[in-house]
Each structure stands twice: as structure tokens, then as C-alpha cells.
Amino acid sequence: MELTWKFLVMLVFGSVVIQYIIIQSLTSTSFLMCPAPFNSSSAPFTDPNTTRRMHVLILTATRCGSSFLGQLLNQHHNVFYLFEPLHHVQDSLTGENFLRQLTLGANRDLLWSLFQCDLYALERYMRPPPTNHMVANLFNYRISQALCQPPVCEGVKLGEEWSCNGCGQVNLTLAAQACRGKSHVVYKTVRVVVVGDVRSLLEDPRLNIKVIQLVRDPRGIINSRIEAFPGWYKPWYSWKTSGQRPPSLHVTPPFTTTCEELHSSVSTALSRPEWLKGRYMLVRYEDLARNPLQKTKEIYNFVGLTMTPSVERWVSANTKGANKEQNNNVYSTTRDSVANVENWRLKLPFEMVQHVQAECQDMLSIMGYRQVHSAQELKNMNISLVQETTFEPFL
Ligand SMILES: *[C@@H]1O[C@H](CO)[C@@H](O)[C@H](O)[C@H]1NC(C)=O
Ligand SMILES: *[C@@H]1O[C@H](CO)[C@@H](O)[C@H](O)[C@H]1NC(C)=O
Ligand SMILES: *[C@@H]1O[C@H](CO)[C@@H](O)[C@H](O)[C@H]1NC(C)=O
Ligand SMILES: *[C@@H]1O[C@H](CO)[C@@H](O)[C@H](O)[C@H]1NC(C)=O
């Protein structure tokens, strides 16, 4: 009898300990807790006014105008900018496939390291792996102003901008030093769209992230994707050029995924959860295009940067009228620019517009894009389809 009683007490005690261990292991955010704590006082800031480095994440989908938005921030001398660093994750893990859910953890992990200026983390996703931290294939690095100038490279200054002319491989040790010398680190990605997917980064006290979510009218997105990637968007390309709807509109991922993800992310943000307080700004590409200088000021203000005369000059030079020059670079900021933001209305067949409107209703309405109900209305550029809506940053 006595033995059974003692056994019971031990059993209860034992199970409490086991439960405690299980709960502990479930509630600790494993990968976030492992690396050494960020020692912010060891970071050499060049701007004494900045007490803590600001991390800016531009979340968007392909062909929403993010090259342009990225460039706006890239122009500031105190910004370290990378264009699509997560390209390397997708490239190494999934090849041509877009297995987004599987790559999400890797994407988040890489962003975490990159925000700490640990650029060596990119090497895990490069084939062949670089030696001596010298990298030949850093995706579109020539866009990054910080990588085209000393100490990383002896580039050439052309007008307001540094050019990477004459720069060879990137020395990631020097690039990381450049990153640590800036007050702002900015990464743009089209590979994570939904802000809820980076919630753990936003909640990490060692990071200091602000998210700029860039959205665009989905009818403009589809037109731009067809023009930039006709192979990827084959059935849509054929619909646009022939006027005949093909039996299947399937592309990978389906176009509706873009609408669903942007809608889901924006509705999360508009519900103003505590973890996004002070950290989220919604920008419509159309507003940026219509009023570039004003919008740029708002964005700079949100992330805590001061407009400089050279940034103002860059904005005026890159938004005045459409650039008619032939330009084969699909990532060019001027090609699909600003002046052409509503040109899709003159290019897409009305039936295709109707189809997209039906598929993307929720997204259109939450972001203030008006639907059209006739071909006349579609082509009448006197009627704007972008409702006057102000999305105040959630402060
Ligand atoms: C942080 O770095 C500074 C300068 O390198 C050093 O003096 C300080 O002891 C470090 N603090 C911690 C908590 O490691
Ligand atoms: C720091 O702020 C002061 C006052 O706002 C300004 O005069 C100064 O130029 C700033 N320093 C830098 C390095 O930005
Ligand atoms: C890269 O830069 C670091 C820091 O200046 C330097 O020590 C290293 O030798 C450079 N690597 C190469 C391969 O030049
Ligand atoms: C658009 O506005 C201009 C100038 O007010 C006018 O001449 C033109 O007829 C209008 N176009 C249409 C389609 O209403």
C-alpha cells in the first residue's frame, strides 16, 4: 500500500517535469534564440543621431513597382540596400518551382542574419560555394549603391549615382563592413508577401524592423507580368495578344495567389495587431507614381531618414515622363515606370479585365481600386480607377 502511494507521487511529479520540458521547448522560438545576442554598442554607426540601426523590409509581389521603391531608399547615403537577397534561397532550394511554404523558414532565417549584416549567410545558398567570401554572382548587386563605392569597390560616380563599372567580385567581408557602417539596412523581396509570415522577426527584440508593403492594382500587375515574362505567363500572353481566351489560364503559382496573399497581408495589417504597431506602412504604387516626391517624403519619414537634395534630384530625374528608350532589362526602374502606371487600361482586353476583377474582388476593394463595367469605362482615362484613400502608417 505504502509503496503504491510513493509510486503515485513520483509518477505525478515526473509527469509535471516532462510537461514543463515540453512546454518550454514549444514556446521558445528555436532558431531565433540560438545566435549570440546582438551587441548594438559594437556596431559602428556613421550617423551619431541614430542610436540603433533601422531594418527596413519591403514586402511585395512581382511587378508592383518595387524596383523603383527600392531605388528611392537606395539613393540615401546612409542606406545599405540589397535587391532580392532571397533570390538565392529560391535558386538553391527550389529551382524553377515556387514551393513557398517550404522555403519560408529559410527565407526568414536568411533575413534575420542579413539584418545583422551577417552577409556570409548568403553563401549557404550559392553554388558553387564561394571561397574567401568572394562572390561573383550576388543577385543584381550592381543596383546597390553601397556595394559600388568604397570601401567595397572603387566604382564610378555618374551624376547622383555610383556605378559598379569596373567592380568585379563582391568581397562579402567588406560588404558586411559597409552594412555595419550604415544607419539603415533595407531589403526588398517579392518572395515573402504576407506580413504575418515575418511576425517572428518583427517581435524579435534584437531586430528593429519596419515593413513597407507595396501593392498595385492587380490588373496592372498582370499586364506588367505578361510584358516582362511572356513565357511564364503564356496563356495570358496569348489571351492579351489574340483576344481569345485560352481553355486554361494556369500558371505557377496561379495569378490568384498574388491577390490572395496581398489581400491577406493587408487585412491583417488593417486590423492593427499590437505586434505591428509603429512598424507597418502600406503604399500603393499608383500613389507613389502620381505624387513621387510627396510619397517619398512620407516613406522617408516613416523609416526615419531625412530627404537630401541629392535624393530629391534623383526622384525628379527618374519620374519625369516615360523613358522611351529601348531597354531590355526587365528590372529597370524607368521602363515600367511611373508615367505608365495606368497604361494597362489601354492594353488589356475588357474580358480579361473582367476575369481579373472577379478573381481579385477582395483585394480590389480593400485597397481602393474601382472595378470597371464596360470597355468604354475601361479605356476612358479621364476616369481614375484609383480611389482617393489615405492609408496612414499605423503608429
Ligand atoms: C559590446 O561591445 C562593446 C564594444 O565592442 C564592448 O565594450 C561591450 O563589452 C560589449 N557588450 C556586451 C554585452 O557584450
Ligand atoms: C544630427 O542632427 C543634427 C540636428 O538635427 C544635425 O544638424 C546633424 O547634421 C545630424 N548629423 C548627422 C551626421 O546626420
Ligand atoms: C576582403 O576584405 C577583407 C577586409 O578588408 C580582407 O581582409 C580580405 O583579404 C579580402 N579578401 C580578398 C580575397 O581580397
Ligand atoms: C477626356 O477629357 C478631355 C479633356 O477634358 C476631353 O477632351 C475628352 O473628350 C475626354 N475623353 C473622354 C473619353 O471622355
Side-chain angles (χ1 to χ4, degrees), residues 297-351:
K297 282 180 182 153
E298 289 171 28
I299 291 165
Y300 267 51
N301 196 32
F302 171 67
V303 301
L305 282 170
T306 316
M307 284 285 273
T308 62
S310 111
V311 173
E312 291 201 21
R313 282 195 297 271
W314 188 91
V315 174
S316 337
N318 285 278
T319 53
K320 287 235 174 67
N323 189 345
K324 294 276 188 272
E325 279 170 41
Q326 193 61 36
N327 190 339
N328 291 324
N329 179 5
V330 293
Y331 298 110
S332 153
T333 49
T334 40
R335 202 185 88 141
D336 188 22
S337 97
V338 172
N340 301 323
V341 69
E342 285 209 80
N343 270 13
W344 60 267
R345 295 173 62 178
L346 304 174
K347 295 179 173 177
L348 291 184
F350 175 61
E351 289 70 27

Side-chain angles (χ1 to χ4, degrees), residues 202-253:
L202 283 150
E203 288 181 327
D204 189 316
R206 288 160 297 172
L207 296 179
N208 186 24
I209 298 189
K210 289 196 177 187
V211 170
I212 302 174
Q213 181 121 57
L214 181 69
V215 300
R216 181 181 185 180
D217 189 318
R219 298 162 293 189
I221 299 177
I222 191 85
N223 182 59
S224 180
R225 287 189 186 173
I226 293 167
E227 287 182 359
F229 312 111
W232 176 21
Y233 270 83
K234 218 173 198 147
W236 297 81
Y237 176 82
S238 126
W239 191 357
K240 179 181 167 180
T241 48
S242 71
Q244 299 294 311
R245 183 186 164 149
S248 163
L249 292 172
H250 184 71
V251 289
T252 310

Side-chain angles (χ1 to χ4, degrees), residues 15-69:
S15 82
V16 166
V17 169
I18 288 166
Q19 281 180 36
Y20 177 75
I21 290 168
I22 290 173
I23 289 169
Q24 275 289 301
S25 70
L26 287 178
T27 50
S28 67
T29 39
S30 48
F31 81 89
L32 291 173
M33 304 311 283
C34 291
F38 179 55
N39 181 352
S40 62
S41 65
S42 66
F45 295 111
T46 53
D47 185 350
N49 296 346
T50 310
T51 52
R52 222 185 141 197
R53 193 177 298 124
M54 174 64 69
H55 306 125
V56 180
L57 186 56
I58 301 173
L59 291 187
T60 187
T62 312
R63 309 307 290 181
C64 287
S66 61
S67 300
F68 178 66
L69 174 57

Side-chain angles (χ1 to χ4, degrees), residues 132 134 171 173-174 177:
N132 298 325
M134 295 298 288
N171 180 335
T173 309
L174 290 174
Q177 273 172 25

Side-chain angles (χ1 to χ4, degrees), residues 17-120:
V17 169
I18 288 166
Q19 281 180 36
Y20 177 75
I21 290 168
I22 290 173
I23 289 169
Q24 275 289 301
S25 70
L26 287 178
T27 50
S28 67
T29 39
S30 48
F31 81 89
L32 291 173
M33 304 311 283
C34 291
F38 179 55
N39 181 352
S40 62
S41 65
S42 66
F45 295 111
T46 53
D47 185 350
N49 296 346
T50 310
T51 52
R52 222 185 141 197
R53 193 177 298 124
M54 174 64 69
H55 306 125
V56 180
L57 186 56
I58 301 173
L59 291 187
T60 187
T62 312
R63 309 307 290 181
C64 287
S66 61
S67 300
F68 178 66
L69 174 57
Q71 284 291 22
L72 286 178
L73 294 162
N74 189 27
Q75 297 311 311
H76 194 280
H77 62 274
N78 223 341
V79 163
F80 181 84
Y81 173 66
L82 288 184
F83 177 98
E84 292 298 331
L86 301 183
H87 165 85
H88 293 283
V89 176
Q90 181 185 317
D91 211 34
S92 66
L93 294 188
T94 64
E96 292 298 303
N97 298 317
F98 289 79
L99 302 172
R100 281 172 186 244
Q101 286 310 312
L102 291 183
T103 53
L104 183 58
N107 282 334
R108 239 177 350 223
D109 192 37
L110 181 57
L111 283 174
W112 191 89
S113 301
L114 294 179
F115 275 130
Q116 319 266 6
C117 296
D118 172 10
L119 302 189
Y120 296 166

Side-chain angles (χ1 to χ4, degrees), residues 376 379-383:
Q376 288 73 16
K379 309 290 177 205
N380 183 352
M381 301 297 277
N382 291 352
I383 307 169

